[in-house]
Amino acid sequence: MTLQPVSSWTSFGGTLSVHDHDSEACGCPMRFAVFTPPRAKDGPVPVLWYLSGLTCNWSNVMEKSGLQRMAAELGLMVVAPDTSPRGEDVADDDAYDLGQGAGFYIDATEMPWAPHFRMQQYITEELPALIGSAFPADMERQGIFGHSMGGHGALTLHFKQRARYRSVSAFSPIVAPSKVPWGRKAFQAYLGDECPAWGEHDACELVKRQPSDAHILIDQGEADQFLEEQLKPELFEAACREAGQSLTLRRHPGYDHSYYFIASFMEDHLRHHAKALKA
């Protein structure tokens, strides 16, 4: 796979770079960003995957979260993929919560989505192979985190690949997609009528089947406009308690769903991952 450089900036002694490549998994060009810390000049560094939420792409976290300062200090490489395949030949929907920008980090089985919407395969197989070959990345030390839809992706991919993602955290994640409008709409479209496959992409169901050895960190704003209808962190909290899963769920009065919230606690999450990945 050939990388096509798009942009590059020096930041806190490291490099933030944006790249395009032709994805076999998604059958279209894909774009991602990588922050490479200055410590990578001395050898491979741990890799932290950040999965964005609905309507977002690589730019949201790289431009709004302020992660570069602490990632540089801690020696973490941060990779920010896109949230879906994109392009004129890629299926889409007029709604913001389905289609382009709303891949949900699953592999679609239903038409017209199946040919391109293979985000689970892209995130867990194709892109890691590319990162491992093109960047000074220690692929034996990987963590994953994300926001909202990306928090859903981070939790579910961690539970399905515990050995790969040694650390995990999330900002205001969709923890029970099988039970909330965002998730049910996406699963119906991408996977078909409600079936056992839905549970393979639901963090509440996955933790009940087999808890992880990792300690999960979740931050949730109490002024989040999506809290009661779409996020329901109490369901995951109860599922973790039942399964014996180690979890810290922090609720923050006054904070909403925005990147003002994410930027406020980004340092805590980076330190959480650094501690686990350097152990």
Side-chain angles (χ1 to χ4, degrees):
M1 293 178 285
T2 302
L3 280 180
Q4 300 174 359
V6 176
S7 302
S8 180
W9 303 270
T10 299
S11 181
F12 292 95
T15 303
L16 172 57
S17 55
V18 182
H19 309 267
D20 286 345
H21 72 109
D22 291 327
S23 167
E24 294 183 6
C26 297
C28 65
M30 295 291 286
R31 178 169 291 183
F32 65 92
V34 179
F35 177 73
T36 304
R39 200 173 301 176
K41 297 173 184 176
D42 300 324
V45 294
V47 180
L48 184 55
W49 299 87
Y50 180 87
L51 306 184
S52 291
L54 289 166
T55 75
C56 295
N57 56 36
W58 68 268
S59 66
N60 297 78
V61 69
M62 291 299 187
E63 294 177 353
K64 297 179 179 180
S65 74
L67 66 81
Q68 291 87 352
R69 178 184 64 82
M70 188 52 53
E73 179 180 321
L74 296 171
L76 295 173
M77 179 180 292
V78 182
V79 183
D82 205 343
T83 51
S84 79
R86 301 179 191 266
E88 293 183 1
D89 298 329
V90 176
D92 200 7
D93 189 271
D94 290 336
Y96 76 95
D97 54 357
L98 188 67
Q100 295 186 35
F104 270 82
Y105 306 103
I106 64 178
D107 292 341
T109 57
E110 300 297 302
M111 295 298 291
W113 313 103
H116 298 286
F117 280 72
R118 304 195 62 79
M119 290 300 295
Q120 177 174 296
Q121 180 183 350
Y122 177 70
I123 296 295
T124 62
E125 298 178 18
E126 185 176 27
L127 192 53
L130 182 57
I131 295 296
S133 64
F135 295 87
D138 183 350
M139 303 307 287
E140 296 300 314
R141 294 186 291 168
Q142 296 184 58
I144 191 166
F145 69 147
H147 171 231
S148 194
M149 178 185 72
H152 141 77
L155 291 170
T156 56
L157 295 181
H158 165 74
F159 281 122
K160 285 184 276 189
Q161 299 206 24
R162 297 170 178 82
R164 176 193 293 263
Y165 304 114
R166 290 165 49 180
S167 61
V168 60
S169 71
F171 300 96
S172 46
I174 305 170
V175 297
S178 297
K179 296 179 173 63
V180 301
W182 275 341
R184 293 185 64 83
K185 179 178 181 179
F187 286 4
Q188 177 72 43
Y190 298 147
L191 302 174
D193 292 338
E194 189 164 357
C195 62
W198 285 28
E200 297 298 322
H201 308 288
D202 188 306
C204 286
E205 296 301 317
L206 291 171
V207 73
K208 293 175 184 177
R209 299 177 189 181
Q210 185 177 347
S212 161
D213 291 335
H215 180 78
I216 300 173
L217 171 63
I218 292 178
D219 279 306
Q220 175 64 61
E222 291 188 339
D224 192 318
Q225 62 270 41
F226 303 113
L227 178 58
E228 293 185 6
E229 182 180 24
Q230 305 283 10
L231 305 179
K232 299 185 180 298
E234 68 277 2
L235 297 182
F236 189 65
E237 187 174 40
C240 286
R241 187 182 305 115
E242 179 183 340
Q245 172 67 54
S246 179
L247 168 70
T248 295
L249 172 57
R250 307 191 301 187
R251 295 173 169 86
H252 304 279
Y255 286 93
D256 62 8
H257 202 69
S258 72
Y259 269 83
Y260 297 112
F261 160 62
I262 294 171
S264 299
F265 302 101
M266 177 58 74
E267 178 175 338
D268 291 352
H269 283 248
L270 293 177
R271 290 190 181 279
H272 167 82
H273 289 276
K275 181 179 180 181
L277 295 178
K278 294 179 180 181

